[in-house]
Amino acid sequence: MKAKYFALLLALLFMTALAVGCSPAATAPAAEAPAADTAADTAAEAPAAEEVPYIAVISKGFQHQFWQAVEAGTEKAAADFGVTVTFEGPETEAMVDKQVEMVQAALDKKPAALCLAALDTQALIPMLERAKAEGIPVVGFDSGVDSDIPVATAATDNLAAAALAADKMAELIGGSGQVAVIVHDQTSRTGIDRRDGFLNQMAAQHPDIEVVDVQYGGGDQLKSTDLAKAIIQAHPDLKGFFGANEGSIIGVLNAVTEMGKEGEIVVIGYDSGKQQIDAVKSGLEAGAITQDPIGIGYKCVEAAVMALNGEEVPAMIDTGFHWYDATNVDSDTIQPLLYE
């Protein structure tokens, strides 16, 4: 009996040993464990994906089609140069403090570069100094600032463009008489240069023309309309009116129409937009200066990319301007520069 139990015990022990010897754990090679380390080493050796540069673009606003055309230019450049851009601006071109806050928020995101159309030539200097300290190149567009921190500014030569508007006005009103001006502001570089370009050219080249009033409508159509109507009422012999941006000239057109002065006052504008283009085609507006808004947006991003690549960038990038009226508004030269 004891011998039988002993034999059974030996058989059980033998079967257990056989099962353990055939298990996967027992047959796994000892060198298997370091495989994870090898994979980690391989991953560490693989190059990391290159980060796409991010460029923050802060404009003066969004209320006019002009800025939407500029945005289209920045997006085209971003696609061409392999960068990403964000485009934003305050609700109106009178909101200097809001723009300063936007620039501050943009810098907090650590962009590779900053493109800026300044509403105030002085208010943004501290933000520019911060960008410089943080190694973020700044490119101005449309409107520069009183600082040498921006590596470049892509803009229209507004002094020359407004001088051309003055020459056209003098020609159309016969070289003498009273004219008035509505400008979007007196703090941005564009506002200052368009005002001074027009006034200085009149004083230097057309001394028989009197500029009876210059007002600032903040680029707001309704405010500019009220200002223009007040000027027309105060100066019944007014022969000409110059509006220095889209919002300003639409205000002038509204005032001339509402007061029944069509054909009596020569109206000259700046930029485009559907209402202004229609007024030029109908003869209500004698003509206007057009910039190249898509080119402005494109060139500012292109300059930022050049700066990031360590390339030399021209301090001033002239994006050009043209006179258009009913004779050439539909031409192949002018059409690509207009927006509705």
Side-chain angles (χ1 to χ4, degrees), residues 144-165:
V145 292
D146 296 335
S147 168
D148 59 1
I149 292 176
V151 297
T153 300
T156 304
D157 184 344
N158 286 290
L159 284 167
L164 175 59

Side-chain angles (χ1 to χ4, degrees), residues 54-58 71 74 84-88 106 109 115:
Y54 153 58
I55 299 172
V57 183
I58 308 293
E71 181 180 12
T74 66
T84 59
V85 297
T86 54
F87 191 99
E88 59 183 328
K109 296 175 184 175
C115 292

Side-chain angles (χ1 to χ4, degrees), residues 94-115:
M95 301 175 71
V96 175
D97 291 343
K98 179 69 174 291
Q99 190 186 50
V100 172
E101 292 172 6
M102 286 182 160
V103 174
Q104 184 173 1
L107 292 177
D108 289 343
K109 296 175 184 175
K110 306 297 181 188
L114 171 68
C115 292

Side-chain angles (χ1 to χ4, degrees), residues 60 93 96-97 99-100 116-125 128 143-146 185-189:
K60 289 181 178 180
E93 293 179 28
V96 175
D97 291 343
Q99 190 186 50
V100 172
L116 173 66
L119 280 171
D120 190 299
T121 59
Q122 293 294 326
L124 284 156
I125 298 296
L128 298 183
S143 188
V145 292
D146 296 335
D185 63 59
Q186 54 187 325
T187 58
S188 73
R189 191 76 263 158

Side-chain angles (χ1 to χ4, degrees), residues 263-281:
E264 296 181 31
I265 297 177
V266 172
V267 178
I268 289 178
Y270 213 104
D271 297 326
S272 53
K274 186 176 187 330
Q275 186 172 340
Q276 185 169 197
I277 293 170
D278 289 346
V280 168
K281 289 180 177 181

Side-chain angles (χ1 to χ4, degrees), residues 60-64 67 90-96 119 182-188 191 215-225 227 244-249:
K60 289 181 178 180
F62 271 118
Q63 73 270 45
H64 303 311
W67 295 116
E91 289 82 356
T92 76
E93 293 179 28
M95 301 175 71
V96 175
L119 280 171
I182 289 187
V183 187
H184 40 296
D185 63 59
Q186 54 187 325
T187 58
S188 73
Q215 292 293 329
Y216 305 92
D220 181 87
Q221 298 175 17
L222 295 178
K223 183 176 180 181
S224 297
T225 299
L227 290 170
N245 82 333
E246 183 185 351
S248 302
I249 191 58

